[in-house]
């Protein structure tokens, strides 16, 4: 591997680390410059309080990750508890991402096949994202508990369904845009060869949709993580990173660095989910020359 190729591979990781260092430096700069009570104009607060209780130092939050979770003898370190909770949330997010991809891509196929379906369904897809996720959580949880499907409806299934509500939207829009992206000249060429709609889909529309679909899949992965965190809080499901954020918020006054640990865990989940989906695109490099941003 040449040095230039090594640099291209390591460049995203280097930029990510540089962004984290810059964010930590900005945090400490705000803490050093802004007064403890923050900046306000009348009753309008422009900058938050910067006391050690409201904004712990970065090194304090990092050091707290290595401390025991509780004062009990033999308690696990905080970072291990966060990783375990994050693993639970990540597994649910993977299921919700799969549901969102299947539903979103099925809607995109339907809308690309029938113009009347696009006119009828696309506005509803966009309108669906105006409904607050927290309002749907108790409804989905209640409906799930009443279903009779031959198996017990577990709480994590409700969380997965709720999170898929966020995940399907970017896939539906991105896949539709990609399936409609081939030029008129190319579509007319397939029509001239009397290719069926299925043949055109496989050999023209699907390859052309890759530059639009891959960013949508990455966005869906991060949306699934966000949806899982919110759904865990809304439904009260224990064991996940969302529930840990809610529980650790009670320690904000006595242990201000502790509530930041699950927040860091949630950020890490989003990065892992996005990176895992990005790996899916390594085998489709020949179709990614004109990849668009999400």
């Amino acid at each position: 591997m040449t040095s230039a190729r090594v640099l291209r591979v390591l460049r995203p990781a280097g930029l990510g680390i540089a962004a984290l260092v810059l964010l930590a430096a900005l945090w400490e700069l705000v803490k050093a410059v802004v007064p403890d009570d923050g900046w306000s104009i009348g009753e309008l607060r422009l900058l938050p309080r910067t006391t050690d209780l409201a904004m712990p130092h970065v090194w304090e939050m990092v050091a707290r990750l290595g401390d025991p979770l509780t004062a009990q003898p033999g308690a696990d370190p905080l970072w291990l508890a966060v990783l375990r909770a994050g693993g639970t949330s990540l597994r649910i997010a993977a299921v919700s991402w799969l549901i969102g991809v299947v539903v979103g891509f099925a809607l995109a196929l339907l809308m690309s096949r029938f113009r009347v379906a696009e006119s009828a369904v696309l506005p509803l897809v966009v309108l669906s994202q105006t409904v607050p996720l927290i309002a749907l959580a108790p409804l989905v949880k209640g409906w799930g508990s009443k279903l009779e499907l031959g198996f017990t409806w577990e709480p994590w299934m409700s969380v997965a369904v709720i999170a898929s509500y966020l995940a399907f939207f970017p896939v539906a829009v991105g896949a539709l845009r990609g399936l409609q992206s081939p030029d008129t000249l190319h579509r007319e060429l397939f029509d001239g060869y009397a290719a069926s709609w299925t043949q055109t889909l496989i050999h023209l529309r699907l390859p052309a949709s890759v530059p639009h679909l891959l960013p949508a899949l990455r966005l869906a992965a991060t949306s699934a993580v966000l949806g899982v965190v919110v759904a865990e809080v809304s439904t009260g499901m224990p064991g996940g990173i969302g529930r840990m954020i809610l529980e650790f918020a009670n320690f904000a006054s006595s242990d201000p660095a502790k509530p930041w640990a699950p927040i860091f865990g949630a950020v890490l989940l989003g990065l892992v989910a996005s990176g895992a989906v990005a790996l899916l695109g390594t085998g489709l490099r020949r179709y990614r020359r004109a990849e668009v941003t999400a």
Side-chain angles (χ1 to χ4, degrees):
M1 182 179 293
T2 63
S3 58
R5 188 173 181 181
V6 172
L7 290 176
R8 285 198 302 268
V9 173
L10 296 180
R11 185 170 178 268
L15 291 176
I17 295 174
L20 291 176
V21 173
L22 180 61
L23 180 61
L26 181 61
W27 179 280
E28 292 298 329
L29 179 62
V30 171
K31 187 170 175 61
V33 173
V34 179
D36 289 347
D37 292 334
W39 284 346
S40 302
I41 298 179
E43 297 182 355
L44 178 63
R45 181 174 296 278
L46 300 179
L47 291 175
R49 295 182 177 88
T50 58
T51 61
D52 291 340
L53 189 62
M55 290 182 62
H57 288 286
V58 173
W59 54 84
E60 292 177 350
M61 292 185 286
V62 173
R64 183 64 180 88
L65 292 172
D67 295 337
L69 176 62
T70 63
Q72 296 179 354
D76 293 331
L78 181 57
W79 65 267
L80 182 58
V82 171
L83 283 183
R84 286 175 177 170
T88 299
S89 298
L90 186 61
R91 289 190 293 270
I92 300 175
V95 175
S96 65
W97 179 79
L98 288 174
I99 296 174
V101 169
V102 172
V103 173
F105 197 77
L107 290 176
L109 285 176
L110 176 66
M111 291 185 288
S112 66
R113 180 67 177 88
F114 304 103
R115 185 172 297 274
V116 64
E118 179 182 357
S119 301
V121 176
L122 186 57
L124 297 178
V125 170
V126 176
L127 185 63
S128 69
Q129 300 305 295
T130 64
V131 180
L133 194 66
I134 195 172
L136 293 176
L139 296 177
V140 174
K141 183 180 179 181
W143 292 338
S145 62
K146 297 178 181 178
L147 292 177
E148 297 181 0
L149 301 175
F151 58 88
T152 303
W153 185 268
E154 301 292 341
W156 70 266
M157 298 178 183
S158 297
V159 173
V161 172
I162 295 167
S164 67
Y165 182 77
L166 288 182
F168 93 94
F169 175 73
V171 177
V173 175
L176 176 62
R177 184 181 176 188
L179 293 173
Q180 294 177 340
S181 63
D183 296 332
T184 302
L185 179 64
H186 296 155
R187 296 198 300 268
E188 291 178 348
L189 177 63
F190 274 74
D191 292 339
Y193 281 106
S196 64
W197 183 84
T198 302
Q199 291 173 326
T200 304
L201 173 68
I202 295 175
H203 298 289
L204 176 63
R205 294 186 182 275
L206 284 179
S209 69
V210 171
H212 301 268
L213 185 58
L214 288 179
L217 292 177
R218 291 197 296 268
L219 183 58
T222 56
S223 298
V225 171
L226 174 62
V228 166
V229 172
V230 175
E232 287 175 346
V233 174
S234 303
T235 61
M237 192 198 84
I241 203 75
R243 186 65 178 179
M244 180 176 282
I245 291 175
L246 186 63
E247 292 175 351
F248 283 15
N250 298 324
F251 297 93
S253 57
S254 59
D255 191 358
K258 186 177 182 179
W260 289 93
I263 296 177
F264 293 156
V267 173
L268 181 61
L269 284 186
L271 294 176
V272 170
S274 179
V277 176
L279 292 177
L280 297 177
T282 55
L284 301 173
R285 188 168 301 171
R286 58 179 296 192
Y287 304 112
R288 299 177 61 182
R289 290 190 296 271
E291 185 167 332
V292 299
T293 56

